[in-house]
Amino acid sequence: MLTRSLFSKNTVAKRLYLAFILATIIPVSILGIVSFYQVNGELEEQAFSGLRKSSKDYGLRLIDRFVVAESALKLLQNRIPKLTLAHDSAILEERIGMLFSHIVVSKPTGNQYIVGEQILLPTLSTDEQRVISLGRTVIKAVDEDESIALWIAIPQLGLQDHLLMARLKGDSIWEQEVLGANELLVYGENGQLWFSTAEHNVLPEELQQEVLSKSSGTFKWEDNVNGSVLAGFWHTPLRNMFEAPNAIIVQIQLEDIALSANAHFKSFYPPVIMLAVLVVLLSVTKLISRYLTPLSALQEATEKLVKGDFSYQVKVDSEDEFQSLANSFNNMTRHIQTQFDIQSTMGEIDRQILSVRDANEVVETAMTRLPETLGVDMMAIASVKPNSLAIEKLYFRVGLQPTQIVDKPSVLSHEDYQHLISEQNRIFILASSELPAYSYIRKIMQEQHFYYLVVPVIVNEQLTAIVGFAYHQLSAITHEVKNTARNFGDRIAVALSNAAWEEKLYNQAHYDGLTGLANRRVLNEYLKQAVARAKRDETNFCVLFIDLDRFKSINDSMGHAAGDNLLVDVAKRLENNCRETDLAVRVSGDEFVILLTEFDDEQASVSISSHIAKKLISTLAEPYHINGQTLHISASIGIAIFPDDGNNPDAILEHADAAMYHAKSAGRANFHFYQSAMTSTAVENLKLENDLRQALDNNELVVYFQPKFDSEQEIVGAEALIRWMHPELGMVSPAKFIPIAEQSLLIIDIGRWVFEQCCDLINELSDKNLTIVPIAVNLSAVEFNRDDLISHLLGILDKTQTNPNYIELELTESVALTNKDICIQRMTALRESGMSLAMDDFGTGFSSLSYLQELPLNTLKIDQQFVRNIELGESSQAIVKAVMALAKGLSMSVVAEGVETPEQFNFLAENGCDFYQGYLLSKPIPKVDFMAKLEAKK
Ligand SMILES: Nc1nc2c(ncn2[C@@H]2O[C@H](COP(=O)(O)O[C@H]3[C@@H](O)[C@H](n4cnc5c(=O)[nH]c(N)nc54)O[C@@H]3COP(=O)(O)O)[C@@H](O)[C@H]2O)c(=O)[nH]1
């Protein structure tokens, strides 16, 4: 079964098997077949040569028998004269009658029958008679009725013409008993058949000729009667000894008998060969199986190894190289398994180092996985408190029992600490006999005649942990174990330093570096949780958005360090007024948020949050002692309540912010609950106002100049127009932020700054010797109405040493709406200072013409909307004409603004307009471009 599966699966087995067959079975089979035919041929040859030899032996014995017969006759020859006929004949007959049937003395006078009845004697030829007379024996075959008789004739000694002739008895001469299974044919050389044991001459004519023609030989033929027969023949040289024809002896044997050895051979040889082949096959199979079974087992094990099954062990008991290969393989898989476990443990630890902030989790993973991987008898990890000798936490595990954790188990001795620090970056082995010198071993591990592998973990030159592995056997602390211990020590070091670093990063990411309060990120997280909890429990929570009033001025006047200290103190006061469950957050510069959670209903939310807001406002308003100075600051607080004021973190925070702006715009140092009426525009404006406060300091404002032209399109002046490059919003239109600036009074600072910029331009033009043209500065009603207006403007003119004749102030009709007398007084003072005055946007206000008449104006600016409508019809044209006529009547010059088309320009020019301003001629341009235009004019 195993063998079959081995051969079906294993290609090597198949090939080996095939090779063995090619190398053994085929040669064996060929050898068998060749041997078979060889042996078969040999046996056949033997059968033939046996027949030939048998014929020869028979022939030689035939000669012997003729010699015996001759000798017997010769003996008789001497005795014949003495014979008394009757008595002696009887004796002779008895003695040699066994050889001869007739013995006759042939005489010229008649024949004397010594033995046997009277018989017709063979006729001897003259030659025969002659040779007999010479003493030679003649043997003659005589054809009798049904057979051939052999006669032997010798001379009768001493008697002329007397012959002694004897007829040989067939029995004695042919000696049939020696033939066995053979048939015998004896021919005379003339082809006369002398004797045959068969009934007739069985030889076919052609074979008989062959027999006669060769001295000896063999042959085979198919006998009609007996089937296949084999024969051997030999020419018996009777002529050498007698006067006789040679006798040809032919012995015949049935093939079955002659080749019985072949038959026998055929019957046993193929099975023997088959058996041999079978034995070879079995041996080969056994051999291949013996060698390939381990190979197959190794292959199977390798496949399991590839699939990650390292626990599989190959079982090979062949007690040869395969077994040692299997043992090596098993050792290798064990080693790989260990390595794999180590790598996977280290990988897990690495992952945790990367993903987990807490080094304890790394330690716990190591305690779970390393003991088995490293085959330790005991393992311990002690974390040492930074900058101390105290062991903070001890993890230890005996064998594979559960890990035990002990908090603050003991304190290291100074000697121990020094020893461990001195072993930095090393691992070392201690035997239990050395323990008295190192008491820390006792403190972190058990004493049980162990060998200890110790890894001190040093981070930033501080001992932060001790890792210990205990083994009963020193030999178990292999190179691999040491390496792993070292690697693990390194990882623990990384984990601990990472943890410290992570903690630092975490704090940086979650806490404000200056005040230590939570930051916006934590706030967002808390808000999410608060929303989820409040939704689940159907409770309320409040967000208090706190902004310090005029903090910027403290920063500006006392420096940023003082500002920072103030913020730290503010943070402390906020924290002190919060419950533990509340969250105080610094969201940006001077903005803070307090999250008050878990109110049962809105009423409680309102009363408690307003109470806390009041408390905070009064607490924050208390004096601060910073850098030896006493400071005061107030705070504005906006309150939003979940869920009425917003049902998600962003909304609730945004609305608290809006409420805070509301509180600020309502006079500062107070708090305000969010109301839905605080539209997004209002909130946006409040934010813009806040940003605008920083804009001047942050150099976000810039002044552009829009040239004014005469009818020849020559530059005759310019209007200063402010631009705001907001860092987030991009270019903000003055149409949008000037009203906010006016509302928040920021226009005062801004207006003065623009005025300074214009003075600087005039001075620069002068310095560069360029054409100086009057520059018009917009003056808002808020600015105009301030008492210090004139002193401020004059102060700047004085400071910058600017010629006021080059300054034109553009006022809108609204400036004159409040107090007519003061207005005229202020305008008169401005005129007297040397500056000129223009009425901007003329025609849009409702000032009476009589009032206009009283104002000390130099110029009227026709509002853009009238200019734009010029092309629409006669009524607009009539207004424009009327305004120009009015101006002429009042001795004022006229500036048309918003001139965008040549038609407008032409109409205005035809009707006596003095100056033109508009995109047709130039858009407002940066200072450098404006100066370039003036340079070109020069
Ligand atoms: N108190 C101050 N007010 C200022 C100051 N700078 C600007 N402003 C006022 O803001 C309003 C918007 O000004 P601005 O967007 O700059 O628009 C001015 C021109 O760019 C624009 N203009 C001029 N020519 C054309 C034109 O052909 N087509 C067209 N569509 N607009 C044109 O008109 C504005 C100038 O208006 P005015 O002041 O009335 O001459 C605006 O009311 C400014 O006054 C500042 O420093 N202080």
Side-chain angles (χ1 to χ4, degrees), residues 203-223:
L203 275 189
E205 183 57 32
E206 67 274 14
L207 282 178
Q208 191 175 323
Q209 287 307 317
E210 187 184 335
V211 166
L212 295 176
S213 62
K214 293 181 183 168
S215 60
S216 68
T218 59
F219 54 87
K220 182 179 175 182
W221 88 100
E222 283 295 324
D223 183 54

Short mmCIF file of all heavy atoms in Angstrom, two decimals, residues 203-223:
data_model
loop_
_atom_site.label_atom_id
_atom_site.label_comp_id
_atom_site.label_asym_id
_atom_site.label_seq_id
_atom_site.Cartn_x
_atom_site.Cartn_y
_atom_site.Cartn_z
N LEU A 203 15.56 -44.56 -43.86
CA LEU A 203 16.17 -43.30 -44.31
C LEU A 203 15.67 -42.89 -45.68
O LEU A 203 15.64 -43.71 -46.59
CB LEU A 203 17.69 -43.45 -44.40
CG LEU A 203 18.49 -43.22 -43.14
CD1 LEU A 203 19.98 -43.20 -43.46
CD2 LEU A 203 18.11 -41.95 -42.43
N PRO A 204 15.29 -41.62 -45.80
CA PRO A 204 14.94 -41.14 -47.13
C PRO A 204 16.17 -41.18 -48.02
O PRO A 204 17.30 -41.13 -47.53
CB PRO A 204 14.49 -39.69 -46.90
CG PRO A 204 14.29 -39.55 -45.44
CD PRO A 204 15.14 -40.58 -44.80
N GLU A 205 15.92 -41.23 -49.29
CA GLU A 205 16.98 -41.44 -50.27
C GLU A 205 18.08 -40.40 -50.15
O GLU A 205 19.26 -40.74 -50.11
CB GLU A 205 16.35 -41.40 -51.69
CG GLU A 205 17.30 -41.66 -52.85
CD GLU A 205 18.03 -43.02 -52.76
OE1 GLU A 205 17.42 -43.96 -52.23
OE2 GLU A 205 19.20 -43.10 -53.21
N GLU A 206 17.68 -39.15 -50.05
CA GLU A 206 18.69 -38.07 -50.05
C GLU A 206 19.56 -38.13 -48.80
O GLU A 206 20.76 -37.92 -48.85
CB GLU A 206 18.06 -36.67 -50.21
CG GLU A 206 17.21 -36.18 -49.11
CD GLU A 206 15.75 -36.64 -49.23
OE1 GLU A 206 15.46 -37.56 -50.03
OE2 GLU A 206 14.92 -36.08 -48.51
N LEU A 207 18.93 -38.50 -47.66
CA LEU A 207 19.72 -38.61 -46.43
C LEU A 207 20.66 -39.79 -46.52
O LEU A 207 21.81 -39.75 -46.06
CB LEU A 207 18.78 -38.76 -45.23
CG LEU A 207 18.11 -37.47 -44.75
CD1 LEU A 207 17.18 -37.75 -43.58
CD2 LEU A 207 19.18 -36.46 -44.30
N GLN A 208 20.17 -40.85 -47.14
CA GLN A 208 21.01 -42.04 -47.29
C GLN A 208 22.25 -41.72 -48.12
O GLN A 208 23.36 -42.13 -47.80
CB GLN A 208 20.21 -43.17 -47.97
CG GLN A 208 20.92 -44.49 -47.90
CD GLN A 208 20.05 -45.62 -48.46
OE1 GLN A 208 18.85 -45.65 -48.29
NE2 GLN A 208 20.68 -46.57 -49.13
N GLN A 209 22.04 -40.91 -49.15
CA GLN A 209 23.17 -40.49 -49.98
C GLN A 209 24.15 -39.69 -49.16
O GLN A 209 25.37 -39.83 -49.29
CB GLN A 209 22.68 -39.64 -51.16
CG GLN A 209 21.97 -40.44 -52.25
CD GLN A 209 22.80 -41.61 -52.74
OE1 GLN A 209 24.03 -41.48 -52.96
NE2 GLN A 209 22.18 -42.79 -52.90
N GLU A 210 23.62 -38.80 -48.30
CA GLU A 210 24.48 -37.98 -47.45
C GLU A 210 25.28 -38.87 -46.51
O GLU A 210 26.48 -38.68 -46.32
CB GLU A 210 23.62 -37.00 -46.65
CG GLU A 210 24.44 -36.00 -45.87
CD GLU A 210 23.59 -35.10 -45.01
OE1 GLU A 210 22.40 -34.90 -45.31
OE2 GLU A 210 24.14 -34.56 -44.00
N VAL A 211 24.60 -39.85 -45.96
CA VAL A 211 25.25 -40.78 -45.04
C VAL A 211 26.38 -41.54 -45.75
O VAL A 211 27.47 -41.73 -45.21
CB VAL A 211 24.21 -41.75 -44.46
CG1 VAL A 211 24.87 -42.94 -43.79
CG2 VAL A 211 23.32 -41.01 -43.46
N LEU A 212 26.12 -41.91 -46.96
CA LEU A 212 27.12 -42.69 -47.70
C LEU A 212 28.31 -41.82 -48.11
O LEU A 212 29.43 -42.28 -48.17
CB LEU A 212 26.48 -43.31 -48.95
CG LEU A 212 25.38 -44.37 -48.68
CD1 LEU A 212 24.74 -44.85 -49.98
CD2 LEU A 212 25.96 -45.58 -47.93
N SER A 213 28.00 -40.57 -48.34
CA SER A 213 29.06 -39.72 -48.88
C SER A 213 29.99 -39.16 -47.82
O SER A 213 31.10 -38.75 -48.11
CB SER A 213 28.44 -38.57 -49.66
OG SER A 213 27.66 -37.78 -48.77
N LYS A 214 29.56 -39.07 -46.57
CA LYS A 214 30.41 -38.49 -45.51
C LYS A 214 30.88 -39.59 -44.59
O LYS A 214 30.21 -40.59 -44.42
CB LYS A 214 29.61 -37.47 -44.70
CG LYS A 214 29.25 -36.25 -45.50
CD LYS A 214 28.48 -35.29 -44.58
CE LYS A 214 28.04 -34.07 -45.33
NZ LYS A 214 27.08 -33.30 -44.55
N SER A 215 32.05 -39.38 -43.98
CA SER A 215 32.60 -40.41 -43.10
C SER A 215 31.85 -40.48 -41.77
O SER A 215 31.80 -41.52 -41.14
CB SER A 215 34.08 -40.15 -42.83
OG SER A 215 34.21 -38.88 -42.21
N SER A 216 31.33 -39.35 -41.33
CA SER A 216 30.50 -39.35 -40.12
C SER A 216 29.62 -38.10 -40.14
O SER A 216 29.86 -37.19 -40.92
CB SER A 216 31.37 -39.33 -38.86
OG SER A 216 32.04 -38.10 -38.74
N GLY A 217 28.66 -38.07 -39.27
CA GLY A 217 27.80 -36.89 -39.25
C GLY A 217 26.51 -37.13 -38.50
O GLY A 217 26.33 -38.20 -37.89
N THR A 218 25.72 -36.09 -38.51
CA THR A 218 24.41 -36.17 -37.84
C THR A 218 23.38 -35.54 -38.74
O THR A 218 23.70 -34.73 -39.61
CB THR A 218 24.42 -35.41 -36.51
OG1 THR A 218 24.75 -34.05 -36.77
CG2 THR A 218 25.40 -35.98 -35.51
N PHE A 219 22.16 -35.79 -38.46
CA PHE A 219 21.09 -35.14 -39.21
C PHE A 219 19.78 -35.38 -38.49
O PHE A 219 19.70 -36.15 -37.54
CB PHE A 219 21.03 -35.63 -40.65
CG PHE A 219 20.91 -37.14 -40.78
CD1 PHE A 219 19.66 -37.75 -40.76
CD2 PHE A 219 22.05 -37.92 -40.91
CE1 PHE A 219 19.59 -39.14 -40.87
CE2 PHE A 219 21.95 -39.31 -41.01
CZ PHE A 219 20.73 -39.93 -40.99
N LYS A 220 18.82 -34.68 -39.02
CA LYS A 220 17.49 -34.71 -38.40
C LYS A 220 16.47 -34.74 -39.52
O LYS A 220 16.68 -34.11 -40.55
CB LYS A 220 17.32 -33.44 -37.57
CG LYS A 220 16.06 -33.30 -36.82
CD LYS A 220 16.10 -31.97 -36.05
CE LYS A 220 14.79 -31.71 -35.36
NZ LYS A 220 14.83 -30.43 -34.66
N TRP A 221 15.45 -35.46 -39.33
CA TRP A 221 14.40 -35.41 -40.34
C TRP A 221 13.07 -35.80 -39.74
O TRP A 221 13.00 -36.31 -38.63
CB TRP A 221 14.78 -36.25 -41.55
CG TRP A 221 14.38 -37.74 -41.48
CD1 TRP A 221 13.31 -38.29 -42.08
CD2 TRP A 221 15.06 -38.78 -40.81
NE1 TRP A 221 13.27 -39.63 -41.84
CE2 TRP A 221 14.36 -39.95 -41.04
CE3 TRP A 221 16.24 -38.83 -40.03
CZ2 TRP A 221 14.76 -41.19 -40.52
CZ3 TRP A 221 16.63 -40.07 -39.52
CH2 TRP A 221 15.87 -41.23 -39.77
N GLU A 222 12.11 -35.56 -40.55
CA GLU A 222 10.75 -35.85 -40.10
C GLU A 222 10.35 -37.21 -40.67
O GLU A 222 10.24 -37.38 -41.87
CB GLU A 222 9.76 -34.79 -40.62
CG GLU A 222 9.77 -33.48 -39.88
CD GLU A 222 9.32 -33.59 -38.44
OE1 GLU A 222 8.41 -34.38 -38.14
OE2 GLU A 222 9.94 -32.90 -37.58
N ASP A 223 10.20 -38.08 -39.76
CA ASP A 223 9.78 -39.40 -40.19
C ASP A 223 8.25 -39.44 -40.21
O ASP A 223 7.60 -38.93 -39.28
CB ASP A 223 10.32 -40.44 -39.20
CG ASP A 223 9.99 -41.83 -39.64
OD1 ASP A 223 10.31 -42.17 -40.79
OD2 ASP A 223 9.36 -42.55 -38.84
#
